[in-house]
Amino acid sequence: MANDVLDPIKELDQLRWNSWHAREDAKAKGDDDSVAKLTQLLVEIHDAREDAVFEILGGIAAKLADFTSRLAKIVAWVKSWPFGVSTEHEKQFHDETLPDNDFEDEGPDTAPVEPAPVPAEKVPVVSAAWAENYQTLWDTMTVTDDWQSKAVKIAKDIVSGQAKYAAVVSGTNVPWWFVGIVHSMECGLNFTTHLHNGDPLTDRTQNVPSGRPPVIQGLPIDWVFSARDAITYEKLDKVADWSLPSVLYHWHRYNGINNEYKKRHIPTPYLWSGSQHYIKGKYDLDGHFNPGKPSKQVGAAVLLWALIKIKAVIPGGAGSSAKKKAAAEPPTPIGNPAAAAQHVASLDLDLNGTPFKHLAAELTFPGELEVGSTKQMAVKRVQEWLNLHGFVTSIDSDFGPSTQKQLGRFATANGRPAGSKFDDELWALLTAPLRKALAPIPALPSLEAAVVNVAKQHIAQMPTEVGGNNCGPWVRAYMRGKEGSDWKWCGGFVSLMIEQATRDLGVDIDFKRQVGVDELVDDAKKAGRFIRENEVSTPLLRQSKLSPGYLFVVRGTATNWTHVGIVSSVMPQTFDTLEGNTGGDGGTDGPNARKGNRSYPDRDFIRLL
């Protein structure tokens, strides 16, 4: 090129050099406002230089003059600070290599350029070309085997922190799982560090962005308080588009989009580490890119994949409306409301199959409710669960001021604002005990062991009658929707334990569900599974013939049995039990499911197989 063509480019390089050093001085001073302005100026200089090369300097002189004027004002302002700006920068310009960009353009040439942090008033918008690039990378992504278990473990830990993430984004459109993944990427899921950059909460942030939050109330700084500042600082609370491409873009932007990866045709490890898209190349020191060093951190996109795998996030939304939009709009991941319970196993709850279909009525979100709602059964269920959680109100199917007040108190106790509307997450929190009880259990070597573990899982959630004798959601769960004083539920309890165990083991046994104890005994006698008391009359016989997971039945007369439960351990003179519809006195037709201990007289037993 002729010198008159190169001169503007050289001048832009000089401007970039001076601006970069001015920004470093501003960083040292801790002046975030000047750092932001100089960062924006660097981006504009970068754009202008690209224009100069690719558009043959069309109109560059006018733009250069504007940059020169603006730069002069900013540099003069910076020079007025006590530490000044070294004039050595200009002297060294022609003798040194330009510093690497530590801001990025966003990959494709048509992508929007956004510095990090974002100083502009508007929230960045993802261009069509850039969005397609993210979507394509996602659509073609595979997670290598050695990264899958690592990613799933982190995803489970993210679910365990859902309450804090939900508290951070309360009142915004930011998904809780977006914050959870940022927390993993920036802080390693450590709740004693700032979400901004992983600095300790013992003081404001020291690294970029420094001095955050600007206002604090004592030390150490509350994690949720600081995390909310990080969300607003990055203007994530202003984002309206949470489609998959936009989600990936905003994670990328949060980290700072670095041009070095684009130049080397390396998808950023911040998103893609752990997938086949990324092999190696990362910054191992501040400002130093090592092309041979791989990232050991699981990327944000791979963590989203893991959250989808464990069903904490639903890909592309749910329902027919999402399917209709799929062809025209990018998919929008949504959080599984059940994740509010912070219980990973219950996310895999499957209510298909005859033994469990009735439970859909107990667990499916009944829709938004408010004072005066006419959905009586839905209101009754809310009132029942409020009482079971200790927020006592009348169970009258009338959504009145008392129900609203107690629902607000329940919301507050679970990290939600008192005025929270009744939504699917609040419903998931109310019904969390039943969800946890019904969650799949790990595989065990025998059906009997599985039955014991399932029963222990239920009893840990303290199943209790509410609203009357043999009434409430737990009774309906065990009695396939039935409730009332006539519906003694000890048989329904053991039947569901066996059904749930066979579901989780994937086996099918010849065991007929019976809610009547006499019917359970008759079936066992016909199948040769009945063990009379006199067959286990000594400690040796008891140890040889009985096993945890068998059923015990309480004999009222020679031909009548009044109660049934599960044997959890066998001892010489007594056996431990897991039983429903019992009480603290070890009696029958009680209000709870609980652990107990019984002696052998007047007890018979039933094998499962």
Side-chain angles (χ1 to χ4, degrees), residues 315-334:
S320 58
S321 59
K323 294 178 181 178
K324 291 177 182 177
K325 294 179 180 179
E329 298 179 9
T332 300
I334 63 171

Side-chain angles (χ1 to χ4, degrees), residues 388 463-472 474-475 489 581 589-592:
L388 287 167
T464 305
E465 296 173 5
V466 65
N469 184 33
N470 296 337
C471 290
W474 288 104
V475 176
W489 49 280
N581 205 183
D589 197 17
N592 311 115

Side-chain angles (χ1 to χ4, degrees), residues 138 175 177 242-245 247 251 304 308 313-317 330-335:
W138 174 266
W177 46 267
W242 289 103
S243 65
L244 178 63
V247 165
W251 275 324
L304 177 58
I308 291 172
V313 173
I314 302 168
T332 300
I334 63 171

Side-chain angles (χ1 to χ4, degrees), residues 250-264:
H250 286 292
W251 275 324
H252 201 174
R253 179 176 70 80
Y254 197 102
N255 179 55
I257 302 176
N258 194 294
N259 196 45
E260 190 68 34
Y261 293 110
K262 176 195 171 182
K263 289 192 300 184
R264 296 174 180 270

Side-chain angles (χ1 to χ4, degrees), residues 19 37-45 67 70-71 74:
S19 300
K37 290 179 180 178
L38 286 161
T39 299
Q40 181 64 29
L41 182 59
L42 279 164
V43 175
E44 294 181 10
I45 293 170
F67 289 156
R70 291 174 57 202
L71 178 65
I74 293 176

Side-chain angles (χ1 to χ4, degrees), residues 302-499:
V302 176
L303 290 179
L304 177 58
W305 169 89
L307 284 169
I308 291 172
K309 182 177 177 64
I310 65 173
K311 301 183 181 179
V313 173
I314 302 168
S320 58
S321 59
K323 294 178 181 178
K324 291 177 182 177
K325 294 179 180 179
E329 298 179 9
T332 300
I334 63 171
N336 184 346
Q342 301 182 124
H343 189 257
V344 174
S346 64
L347 296 174
D348 202 28
L349 184 59
D350 183 4
L351 299 181
N352 294 320
T354 301
F356 307 101
K357 285 183 178 179
H358 68 287
L359 292 163
E362 300 297 333
L363 295 177
T364 301
F365 177 54
E368 294 183 6
L369 302 174
E370 57 187 8
V371 173
S373 175
T374 59
K375 297 179 180 179
Q376 292 188 345
M377 192 60 199
V379 173
K380 177 185 175 182
R381 286 191 170 102
V382 170
Q383 292 170 334
E384 288 173 334
W385 280 111
L386 284 171
N387 277 271
L388 287 167
H389 284 285
F391 297 88
V392 178
T393 187
S394 298
I395 302 175
D396 56 9
S397 302
D398 177 20
F399 200 128
S402 175
T403 300
Q404 184 181 41
K405 184 67 174 180
Q406 292 295 64
L407 189 59
R409 287 172 173 167
F410 175 80
T412 301
N414 285 274
R416 271 70 176 173
S420 298
K421 67 178 181 179
F422 177 71
D423 60 10
D424 47 5
E425 277 201 8
L426 206 54
W427 174 247
L429 287 167
L430 281 169
T431 57
L434 183 55
R435 295 176 186 277
K436 293 176 182 179
L438 294 167
I441 62 169
L444 290 167
S446 71
L447 173 63
E448 291 82 3
V451 168
V452 169
N453 273 21
V454 169
K456 287 180 177 179
Q457 182 168 280
H458 276 252
I459 288 173
Q461 301 305 319
M462 297 183 292
T464 305
E465 296 173 5
V466 65
N469 184 33
N470 296 337
C471 290
W474 288 104
V475 176
R476 294 192 297 271
Y478 300 134
M479 301 300 285
R480 293 195 179 173
K482 305 294 185 181
E483 65 178 337
S485 58
D486 293 336
W487 293 94
K488 295 180 180 181
W489 49 280
C490 60
F493 175 81
V494 298
S495 292
L496 186 64
M497 300 307 101
I498 295 168
E499 290 165 340

Side-chain angles (χ1 to χ4, degrees), residues 130-257:
W130 189 223
E132 289 170 2
N133 186 54
Y134 279 126
Q135 187 68 56
T136 300
L137 286 170
W138 174 266
D139 289 342
T140 57
M141 180 181 73
T142 58
V143 181
T144 52
D145 291 342
D146 54 339
W147 286 87
Q148 287 194 21
S149 59
K150 188 176 180 181
V152 167
K153 181 182 183 303
I154 295 172
K156 291 178 178 179
D157 289 340
I158 289 173
V159 172
S160 297
Q162 195 272 357
K164 283 196 172 184
Y165 304 138
V168 169
V169 299
S170 177
T172 74
N173 290 322
V174 182
W176 64 264
W177 46 267
F178 182 94
V179 178
I181 288 179
V182 170
H183 191 215
S184 175
M185 302 303 299
E186 299 292 334
C187 312
L189 298 180
N190 186 342
F191 282 105
T192 66
T193 59
H194 288 282
L195 188 66
H196 306 73
N197 54 20
D199 285 350
L201 289 171
T202 51
D203 201 348
R204 292 185 176 93
T205 57
Q206 301 298 310
N207 294 297
V208 177
S210 62
R212 309 299 304 187
V215 177
I216 59 174
Q217 298 175 340
L219 295 173
I221 301 170
D222 177 71
W223 185 84
V224 171
F225 178 82
S226 174
R228 284 175 179 163
D229 179 73
I231 294 301
T232 56
Y233 179 76
E234 294 291 348
K235 294 183 169 56
L236 290 164
D237 57 323
K238 301 294 193 296
V239 175
D241 176 16
W242 289 103
S243 65
L244 178 63
S246 182
V247 165
L248 295 169
Y249 165 68
H250 286 292
W251 275 324
H252 201 174
R253 179 176 70 80
Y254 197 102
N255 179 55
I257 302 176

